[in-house]
Amino acid sequence: MQEPAITPELIASHGLSPEEYRRILEIIGREPSFTELGIFSAMWNEHCSYKSSKKWLRTLPTTGPQVICGPGENAGVVDIGDGQAVVFKMESHNHPSYIEPYQGAATGVGGILRDVFTMGARPIAAMNSLSFGTPAHPKTRQLVNGVVEGIGGYGNCFGVPTVGGEVRFHSAYNGNCLVNAFAAGLADADSIFYSAASGVGMPVVYLGARTGRDGVGGATMASAEFDDTIEEKRPTVQVGDPFTEKRLMEATLELMATGAVISIQDMGAAGLTCSAVEMGDKGNLGVRLDLECVPVREENMSAYEMMLSESQERMLMVLRPELEDAARAVFDKWDLDFAIVGETIAEDRFLIKLNGETKADLPLKSLAGTAPEYDRPWVETPPAIDQGTVAGIDPLDGLRALISSPNYAAKEWVYSQYDTMVMANTVRVPGLGAGIVRVHGTDKALAFTSDVTPRYVKANPFEGGKQAVAEAYRNLCAVGATPLATTDNMNFGNPEKPEIMGQFVGAIKGIGEAVSALDMPIVSGNVSLYNETDGKGILPTPTIGAVGLLTHTDDIIGFEVREGYRALLLGAAGRHMGQSALLAEAFGREDGDAPAVDLGVERAHGTFIRKNHMHISACTDLSDGGLALAAFEMAEAAGLGVTLTDGDTPTLFGEDQGRYLIACTKTQSATLRAAAEEAGLELTEVGQFGGDVVQFGNAMAPLDFLTDIYRSSFAGAVA
């Protein structure tokens, strides 16, 4: 097949700037072949090279006594004691999900699951963080339905419980939804598998499903803004098969037990190119691939297509040659392809051949370790203007404004489409704070949460970044778990705009300060930039996924609320109304500053909750909607009313940070208040649960009436 001529238009279509192309010419001393241009495009795009973010990602705290493996591998690895480790990561599949919602979301789940079992861990939990445009936007309904079906369709068939997540709506996502997928797995701490190749002349083995033309150029597409050519990008979206993925996981874990694996890498973004280059780069080796040996499902595929295909359910492995027969037998058993497609070489070369003809011959290091790195210009976000006076509102009118919005209404319509109980270890299902999964065969449990408040980050990137971590910390503490570590998914607009880059820098600084103060190092993550359509960017959305440990399931703080239980507020009464949910939903305003985060208070309050878990019947942190929404959600889950004595608007709806709502008996209340006084903390009895009405100050409404609104508003908006 005649390869196209290398023209400025072709270079631009591959996402390479003229300066980057000149750098390629300097590196290889000649014009690249079409396949070589595609390889550089894949490895140097934002999605794979992190060229705009590396400078700032290096500033994040990534180590600690609990960390076995930090960023740089397929997933992070954290010690949970008894020779066990939790392996976890969060990644975006934003652009594919906007173009093709079902397959985009489904393959996002598949990719993050592969990241986990590639490390030798069996997945035990999944979460997702979803951001959509306004329900009234003509594309939102299709996106919500397709994405939720894709997540459920893939995760349910694969057989991993979805135990948590979040869903938000805002006009800033009208042209670019966000789909962030999280997965966690369990492994023996001394049996983690890494991707660095070792040994010269070792066989490079292709594993799993066959290669097709789906997803060609997907990584490059994910590193560009959308415009009116969006439909032309549909062929760059991959197609997933969860049943093949399930077989691939079982085969991979069985293969690892044979001792045949030297190194292994998931074929994700940029497929065969990225996986081979990363393995060689980390092992300081070159790689030769013979593409005629690659299993394909379509005829007459070119070298370019095979190298850039993002067909799903595939892995690349460096094999101990003496164990080839044992390894092949495993994949034959699971009816999956196993093919030796090349070998490691001593030279710094990425040598690609097809039927004996050289299609690419590049210095491998130039594709990975020496990829472009930019120090983008950035400006700080201007200080927020004070929101001024917030008009008083009838407390129940304020509550109705919140619970009738799909942002704060109950999300059963979403969660009911996910299998939350498969594997039979789920303790806490979605909708009740952090998800909890038992560590099978032990007394331990792991808690999972994902959090960010984008409107805070837009108003004040530094405080918003801190708050995302702090809220994740609180969600774990509220179930009794000790926070261990975090993964981040940094979703932003175009980094070439100084104001957008400033949002990114500010958020990174806030996240770094918070994870350091709260002993929650970042061990893995993902950066998704260029989330823009026609020049309009999303809200800055640095999602934080966090994992916590309960050494015994008896330490879990339940969600039990009974008639007559007291409502206790840990922390000061609410005052901060800037960027609040009430301001947005009841008044249509998004002004004021984000609430300040005092990390010392966060740590002290979280420690108090965990230390006194035995005296707490139910607990939740206060975030969006403040005390009013937290109290209603806690009461409504129990089918009870609630009375809060103070009807003041800031007291009820202020979003001051570091606070928790506790439900407990009268005796427990006395014990907790004494313990708080001894610790120098503010703990106040603010009301009582019971009856069949919700009463805030002098305003009241029947619980049944509010429940109907709360339970029906989400589906009514998007189903």
Side-chain angles (χ1 to χ4, degrees):
M1 185 180 73
Q2 182 70 35
E3 292 194 342
I6 306 299
T7 64
E9 292 76 19
L10 187 67
I11 294 165
S13 72
H14 280 73
L16 294 164
S17 69
E19 180 183 335
E20 287 170 342
Y21 184 68
R22 284 193 293 271
R23 184 168 175 178
I24 290 170
L25 296 179
E26 290 171 3
I27 288 171
I28 65 177
R30 56 176 171 80
E31 184 179 87
S33 69
F34 181 53
T35 300
E36 289 173 333
L37 182 71
I39 289 170
F40 270 108
S41 167
M43 292 307 301
W44 283 15
N45 67 61
E46 196 72 57
H47 192 76
C48 292
S49 72
Y50 295 92
K51 58 190 176 187
S52 298
S53 57
K54 278 190 286 193
K55 169 184 168 68
W56 297 103
L57 295 176
R58 292 191 190 101
T59 68
L60 290 171
T62 59
T63 60
Q66 72 275 42
V67 178
I68 295 173
C69 176
E73 278 292 340
N74 287 291
V77 186
V78 176
D79 192 348
I80 61 169
D82 306 311
Q84 293 180 301
V86 60
V87 178
F88 63 95
K89 188 182 184 183
M90 178 173 272
E91 273 203 346
S92 62
H93 231 224
N94 304 333
H95 284 52
S97 298
Y98 189 78
I99 297 169
E100 185 60 62
Y102 184 94
Q103 290 297 346
T107 53
V109 174
I112 200 66
L113 289 168
R114 284 196 304 281
D115 281 336
V116 167
F117 69 73
T118 301
M119 302 288 290
R122 181 174 291 277
I124 61 164
M127 294 190 297
N128 51 80
S129 177
L130 311 176
S131 303
F132 298 103
T134 58
H137 189 271
K139 197 168 173 64
T140 297
R141 202 173 286 252
Q142 173 209 356
L143 287 171
V144 174
N145 282 267
V147 165
V148 171
E149 286 178 19
I151 291 169
Y154 204 102
N156 296 352
C157 293
F158 179 86
V160 62
T162 299
V163 299
E166 51 188 347
V167 186
R168 69 180 56 84
F169 298 85
H170 191 280
S171 60
Y173 305 105
N174 280 348
N176 201 131
C177 66
L178 302 183
V179 176
N180 295 173
F182 169 100
L186 284 174
D188 292 335
D190 60 355
S191 299
I192 305 299
F193 287 80
Y194 299 98
S195 58
S198 64
V200 175
M202 296 294 108
V204 175
V205 183
Y206 175 111
L207 305 169
R210 298 192 167 201
T211 295
R213 291 187 171 92
D214 52 321
V216 173
T220 301
M221 175 272 293
S223 302
E225 297 179 27
F226 285 150
D227 54 28
D228 56 9
T229 65
I230 186 171
E231 283 302 313
E232 297 173 13
K233 297 179 172 69
R234 191 172 299 276
T236 63
V237 178
Q238 312 93 325
V239 177
D241 180 353
F243 299 107
T244 298
E245 177 110 334
K246 174 69 171 175
R247 288 185 290 125
L248 180 61
M249 179 191 72
E250 297 296 350
T252 300
L253 295 178
E254 191 173 327
L255 174 70
M256 289 169 169
T258 69
V261 178
I262 294 176
S263 64
I264 191 164
Q265 174 74 38
D266 156 48
M267 283 196 227
L272 192 54
T273 290
C274 192
S275 56
V277 168
E278 287 188 5
M279 290 173 74
D281 179 59
K282 291 174 183 175
N284 292 310
L285 292 167
V287 174
R288 191 202 80 240
L289 296 178
D290 300 309
L291 296 186
E292 67 274 9
C293 299
V294 171
V296 294
R297 64 170 184 263
E298 299 184 47
E299 294 182 357
N300 302 316
M301 288 189 69
S302 67
Y304 179 97
E305 291 170 328
M306 282 192 271
M307 292 306 297
L308 298 186
S309 167
E310 294 184 9
S311 294
Q312 296 292 286
E313 295 87 43
R314 301 180 302 159
M315 317 275 274
L316 201 64
M317 172 183 73
V318 177
L319 169 74
R320 297 189 191 282
E322 68 274 14
L323 293 175
E324 177 187 338
D325 290 344
R328 188 183 297 275
V330 171
F331 274 73
D332 286 345
K333 168 187 169 183
W334 289 99
D335 194 25
L336 292 165
D337 277 287
F338 177 102
I340 295 176
V341 296
E343 67 175 0
T344 58
I345 56 179
E347 301 87 357
D348 177 24
R349 294 174 75 189
F350 191 40
L351 181 59
I352 309 301
K353 289 180 172 289
L354 178 58
N355 297 319
E357 181 182 350
T358 298
K359 294 295 185 178
D361 190 353
L362 300 169
L364 188 143
K365 282 288 183 185
S366 70
L367 296 167
T370 57
E373 180 174 335
Y374 298 125
D375 186 1
R376 302 278 192 196
W378 61 278
V379 295
E380 288 193 14
T381 300
I385 299 172
D386 184 78
Q387 80 274 0
T389 303
V390 177
I393 188 171
D394 179 279
L396 271 302
D397 286 344
L399 179 64
R400 282 195 293 271
L402 294 179
I403 62 176
S404 62
S405 163
N407 279 309
Y408 305 108
K411 306 294 192 300
E412 295 107 323
W413 182 87
V414 176
Y415 305 143
S416 65
Q417 297 184 55
Y418 304 152
D419 191 334
T420 61
M421 300 303 294
V422 64
M423 302 179 78
N425 285 314
T426 304
V427 178
R428 180 78 62 87
V429 298
L432 298 174
I436 305 175
V437 173
R438 281 184 292 268
V439 178
H440 190 74
T442 75
D443 293 325
K444 295 179 294 192
L446 289 165
F448 305 97
T449 187
S450 93
D451 297 285
V452 65
T453 309
R455 65 181 183 277
Y456 290 175
V457 186
K458 183 179 181 182
N460 188 326
F462 178 71
E463 289 297 335
K466 285 168 60 180
Q467 191 273 341
V469 176
E471 186 174 347
Y473 176 85
R474 289 197 301 272
N475 280 337
L476 296 176
C477 291
V479 299
T482 299
L484 286 179
T486 50
T487 180
D488 60 355
N489 203 149
M490 307 293 289
N491 306 274
F492 289 80
N494 185 344
E496 297 168 45
K497 298 177 179 178
E499 65 273 17
I500 301 297
M501 196 65 210
Q503 293 174 345
F504 182 88
V505 172
I508 284 282
K509 289 181 176 180
I511 290 168
E513 185 170 304
V515 297
S516 177
L518 300 175
D519 293 333
M520 299 169 69
I522 298 280
V523 298
S524 59
N526 172 248
V527 176
S528 175
L529 303 177
Y530 296 96
N531 289 288
E532 298 203 0
T533 298
D534 295 327
K536 184 177 181 180
I538 61 165
L539 291 179
T541 311
T543 309
I544 298 295
V547 178
L549 175 67
L550 292 128
T551 55
H552 201 289
T553 52
D554 289 347
D555 298 336
I556 295 172
I557 296 174
F559 214 76
E560 179 188 47
V561 181
R562 295 184 179 180
E563 183 78 30
Y565 274 17
R566 281 12 184 204
L568 275 61
L569 173 65
L570 177 60
R575 295 180 300 276
H576 189 93
M577 295 299 297
Q579 297 299 329
S580 65
L582 182 74
L583 207 61
E585 301 293 350
F587 297 98
R589 293 168 51 189
E590 294 183 21
D591 48 300
D593 200 357
V597 178
D598 185 324
L599 295 168
V601 169
E602 294 283 1
R603 190 174 182 114
H605 286 182
T607 300
F608 178 84
I609 293 291
R610 297 195 309 274
K611 183 179 179 180
N612 292 280
H613 66 88
M614 69 292 293
H615 305 302
I616 298 173
S617 296
C619 183
T620 185
D621 80 303
L622 269 58
S623 53
D624 294 77
L627 176 62
L629 187 58
F632 171 77
E633 289 177 339
M634 188 177 279
E636 197 276 340
L640 291 171
V642 61
T643 297
L644 298 179
T645 54
D646 194 333
D648 176 65
T649 297
T651 299
L652 289 171
F653 298 100
E655 295 182 8
D656 308 68
Q657 298 296 294
R659 303 185 300 155
Y660 296 81
L661 177 64
I662 296 168
C664 60
T665 66
K666 181 179 180 180
T667 301
Q668 289 172 328
S669 174
T671 302
L672 287 168
R673 282 182 288 145
E677 184 176 358
E678 184 178 344
L681 303 178
E682 187 172 353
L683 183 66
T684 310
E685 197 167 294
V686 293
Q688 186 168 315
F689 295 95
D692 57 6
V693 300
V694 173
Q695 180 172 351
F696 295 162
N698 294 322
M700 65 178 70
L703 174 66
D704 289 348
F705 169 69
L706 296 174
T707 293
D708 286 344
I709 297 172
Y710 180 61
R711 296 285 169 184
S712 64
S713 293
F714 188 93
V718 300

